[in-house]
């Protein structure tokens, strides 16, 4: 009984019971502060409860949260009336995928594609096993990501793509992925769960 209770607690506040979308009703209301511009939408700064929620999705198998994030991103994207053909996640390197068993950005991207009724496609391959970005200096970070991605043999000329990431930190990861897609003739917009403040 006690184990069941613990399992069904909200992964964000760890206080209330969780819901079908993972987080409790109260967290669902207070979790987001969405920011949208021409090419970027994210649901809030990577801190406090939103940071806890992303970590729960990423490291603690709270897969239902991907639906909550996707629903909210979809709402913002619909309001902004973005025209989109393909939704694509930022891939993990295969070795990290094996380690974790899932790609958190992929979970959100798949749900987002369902919400918007748009095609989901994994366009990118992560070529290099990049070191954990957080442990590197800014200069090392940009070197770490040069040619980190390559494109699968899919024609995306003139396609409009939403690239989905979990957290935008320095922006170098996403910039590297955007470059690969743009060079193949696609126009790219970005949807992220969170963004680190102050950069
Ligand atoms: Zn909660």
């Amino acid at each position: 009984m006690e184990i069941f209770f613990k399992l069904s607690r909200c992964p964000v506040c760890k206080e209330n019971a969780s819901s079908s979308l993972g987080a409790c009703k109260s967290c669902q209301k207070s979790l987001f502060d969405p920011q949208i511009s021409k090419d970027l939408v994210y649901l809030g700064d990577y801190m406090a409860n939103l940071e806890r929620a992303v970590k729960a999705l990423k490291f603690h198998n709270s897969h239902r949260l991907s639906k909550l994030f996707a629903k909210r991103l979809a709402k913002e994207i619909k309001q902004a009336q973005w025209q989109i053909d393909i939704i694509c996640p930022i891939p993990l390197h295969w070795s990290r995928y094996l380690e974790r068993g899932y790609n958190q950005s992929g979970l959100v991207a798949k749900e987002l594609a369902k919400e918007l009724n748009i095609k989901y496609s994994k366009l990118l391959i992560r070529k290099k096993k990049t070191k954990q970005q957080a442990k590197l200096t800014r200069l090392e970070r940009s070197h770490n990501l040069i040619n980190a991605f390559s494109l699968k043999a899919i024609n995306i000329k003139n396609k409009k793509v939403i690239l989905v990431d979990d957290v935008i930190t320095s922006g170098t990861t996403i910039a590297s992925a955007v470059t690969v897609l743009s060079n193949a003739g696609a126009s790219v917009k970005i949807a992220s769960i969170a963004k680190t403040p102050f950069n």
Side-chain angles (χ1 to χ4, degrees), residues 9-18 22-28 30 49:
R9 273 200 210 181
C10 169
V12 183
C13 65
K14 308 242 167 52
E15 290 291 326
N16 307 323
S18 71
C24 69
K25 296 278 187 251
S26 150
C27 283
Q28 283 182 38
S30 63
N49 274 351

Side-chain angles (χ1 to χ4, degrees), residues 74-98:
K75 189 179 162 196
E76 300 302 318
I77 289 167
K78 278 180 193 165
Q79 267 177 14
Q81 298 185 312
W82 285 1
Q83 300 299 309
I84 303 298
D85 303 306
I86 300 169
I87 295 190
C88 164
I90 288 277
L92 290 179
H93 188 264
W94 64 266
S95 62
R96 200 157 282 153
Y97 185 87
L98 283 184

